[in-house]
Amino acid sequence: MSARMVAEPEAPIEALDWQGRPLRCQDCPHEDMHAEGRCDLGKVCVADRRRKRIDRFFSNNAALAARYLCHPYFEVRALAAKHASIFLLAPLKDDPEADVRVTVAYRLPLARVKDLRFDPEPRVRIAVMDRLDGAEIVPFFSDTDYNVRVAATRRAPPDSLVLLMHDPEPDVRRAVARRLPQQHLSRMAADADPLVRLEVAGHLTPEDLKILAQDDDMRVRFAVAERIDPKFLAPLANDEVAPIAEVARQRLSLA
């Protein structure tokens, strides 16, 4: 027998419905579709509990999506909403499951979903915000969920991000530092969080990096040593952290 073990094929994942019961084609109202290749137990099935299998079913049979908008399993409703006519989706704005409301927020005309900006689920509010532009995104800066505020920083007008420079969440301030215009960015060099200052160090101009050359955090100083204008490198060549001093000396030797 060969020393190399022959890998056995993975066993197929059992086909179960959303309540954990085994599935049989004989029990399905779409059994006739199996012969046409439009469904396949364990792979393409609306009765399955696995999201990918349900989605494949609606991809193959979009015309049937309308029948499933009130299905008791939220994954079925969410995926049916992805494929059904938009004229049928308005009642789903009040669906108890956030996944369904997210789909509706992306698909209905924008004028019909703006009220979902006040939805209790952050993902729904982000879905609405993703469809807005410019100044319409600024109100999301005051959202109670920091994930919404982070998402807002990615699409809001860069000049408006000064409003989030002092956000209580470091992740939000880091996101701000990535897009804040240069004329405001130096104001974040004194941020209390070293990871925010590290982000600032990655985006300041080489000339402006001198304000971070003596930062308390070695990660920040290392980033500065890699990018700072050579005329400000000398102090970093004597840094107490050897890798920082080495980078500074190497750059000075090439200047």
Side-chain angles (χ1 to χ4, degrees), residues 116-130:
L116 288 178
R117 72 179 76 188
F118 306 111
D119 191 276
E121 170 58 45
R123 290 181 295 132
V124 177
R125 302 198 296 273
I126 290 173
V128 175
M129 183 186 62
D130 278 347

Side-chain angles (χ1 to χ4, degrees), residues 35-242:
E36 301 172 13
R38 292 162 57 198
C39 63
D40 186 0
L41 187 66
K43 295 180 181 178
V44 182
C45 182
V46 72
D48 205 292
R49 66 180 179 182
R50 296 179 66 82
R51 182 179 181 88
K52 287 185 178 179
R53 297 175 182 181
I54 302 167
D55 198 25
R56 291 185 194 120
F57 177 88
F58 287 126
S59 294
N60 290 353
N61 308 283
L64 295 175
R67 300 188 192 181
Y68 289 93
L69 294 175
C70 295
H71 194 277
Y73 185 32
F74 79 94
E75 290 279 26
V76 172
R77 297 197 306 278
L79 292 167
K82 175 181 170 183
H83 294 275
S85 166
I86 61 171
F87 297 107
L88 302 174
L89 300 185
L92 295 180
K93 288 170 60 178
D94 297 317
D95 193 277
E97 287 291 338
D99 284 0
V100 179
R101 302 196 304 277
V102 166
T103 301
V104 171
Y106 278 117
R107 289 208 62 212
L108 277 176
L110 181 57
R112 301 286 303 277
V113 298
K114 283 190 174 182
D115 57 322
L116 288 178
R117 72 179 76 188
F118 306 111
D119 191 276
E121 170 58 45
R123 290 181 295 132
V124 177
R125 302 198 296 273
I126 290 173
V128 175
M129 183 186 62
D130 278 347
R131 302 183 61 188
L132 301 174
D133 292 302
E136 289 183 304
I137 296 172
V138 174
F140 290 89
F141 288 179
S142 59
D143 195 278
T144 56
D145 190 282
Y146 84 95
N147 292 295
V148 178
R149 302 197 302 277
V150 168
T153 67
R154 300 186 186 120
R155 299 191 58 253
D159 284 333
S160 70
L161 296 180
V162 294
L163 299 173
L164 286 173
M165 282 174 31
H166 302 292
D167 190 276
E169 286 290 337
D171 284 349
V172 176
R173 302 198 303 276
R174 288 177 65 195
V176 169
R178 294 184 193 113
R179 296 190 63 231
L180 195 65
Q182 285 291 326
Q183 66 265 31
H184 303 299
L185 188 56
S186 60
R187 294 162 58 189
M188 298 190 72
D191 193 279
D193 191 286
L195 293 181
V196 175
R197 301 197 304 276
L198 184 60
E199 200 70 55
V200 172
H203 292 84
L204 276 175
T205 65
E207 177 86 17
D208 288 338
L209 277 172
K210 61 182 181 290
I211 61 177
L212 285 170
Q214 303 300 319
D215 194 272
D216 292 337
D217 192 281
M218 59 178 285
R219 294 167 295 181
V220 177
R221 297 199 308 279
F222 188 88
V224 171
E226 289 184 311
R227 296 186 55 246
I228 195 170
D229 189 304
K231 65 188 177 186
F232 302 115
L233 263 173
L236 289 164
N238 298 313
D239 196 278
E240 61 184 15
V241 178

